[in-house]
Structures are given as structure tokens and as C-alpha cells.
Amino acid sequence: MRHGYKGRKLGTDASHTAAMRKSLVAAVLKHESIKTTETRAKEIRGDVDKVIGWAKKGDVHARRLAIAAIGDQELVAKLFEESERFEGREGGYTRIMKLGPRKGDAAPMVVMSLLD
């Protein structure tokens, strides 16, 4: 039974899944576009939107939440400075474009990128 569990396992234990999600969110915000599997992209989409929402809010509490979620203070500072590019948008800050199957294991690959 999986009562009380949220999200996908992504083929790893809980601590590895949490670390992978944290690093993928940081990679999307740092590089603005990453290539990953479709399942991982769908799993981190909500986390990326949440961090950008905190950046739009811009107060101290939101900054501390973002630092805890990403783990990189410089990246959070950069994101909070550039938060005005998302002002006209209420949500949906990411785009997932399908690429097709990966050659080795046929996993569906996507490019996840930030919108303007």
C-alpha cells in the first residue's frame, strides 16, 4: 500500500529521488533548458513553478523557502533579480517538448525549458 506517499519513485529510494528532484530543478533554473526523461520532467514541473512563484513574491520568507528547495544561494539571488520576466504569467512557466525514445533503453526523452 502506498498511503500517504506523493509523487513518483523514479526507480530509486526516497533520499535519491529527493536529491535528483532538487538538482533537476536547479538545473532548469540555471540553464533554462535541460534534456531529461519525460517522467522526470513531469515530476519536477510543479517544483519549478513553485520556486518561480516564490521569486515573484520576493519577500524574505519566500527567499528562504527557495534556498531550501534549490540549495544554491547564488542561483536564488539571480532568480529573484530576474523575476520580473514572469510577471505577466500566472503559472505554467515551463514547456515540455518531446524528442522521442532514447537509443539505449527507449525511454521517452524531452526538452524542458522555461518560458518568457
Side-chain angles (χ1 to χ4, degrees):
M1 289 184 282
R2 57 174 311 276
H3 299 302
Y5 290 100
K6 227 175 171 181
R8 299 168 176 91
K9 284 182 70 171
L10 301 177
T12 60
D13 60 342
S15 61
H16 186 198
T17 300
M20 185 173 20
R21 288 176 63 168
K22 193 174 188 177
S23 67
L24 283 171
V25 169
V28 168
L29 295 173
K30 183 176 183 179
H31 302 293
E32 296 193 5
S33 179
I34 61 168
K35 182 178 173 184
T36 185
T37 63
E38 185 176 4
T39 307
R40 289 178 181 176
K42 286 181 178 181
E43 187 64 23
I44 66 166
R45 179 175 36 193
D47 297 338
V48 172
D49 288 351
K50 194 181 300 183
V51 171
I52 292 174
W54 290 331
K56 283 173 60 174
K57 193 178 271 189
D59 59 350
V60 175
H61 180 62
R63 184 178 294 264
R64 289 178 178 163
L65 287 172
I67 290 170
I70 295 174
D72 186 0
Q73 234 171 349
E74 291 82 20
L75 181 60
V76 170
K78 181 184 140 211
L79 180 66
F80 273 61
E81 289 170 5
E82 298 174 352
S83 64
E84 65 271 356
R85 76 182 252 203
F86 300 109
E87 285 300 323
R89 189 176 286 273
E90 291 297 318
Y93 305 108
T94 57
R95 172 185 294 135
I96 296 176
M97 294 187 309
K98 296 185 179 188
L99 294 176
R102 184 163 52 195
K103 188 170 184 168
D105 60 354
M109 298 300 287
V110 298
V111 171
M112 184 174 193
S113 58
L114 291 178
L115 298 175
D116 289 333

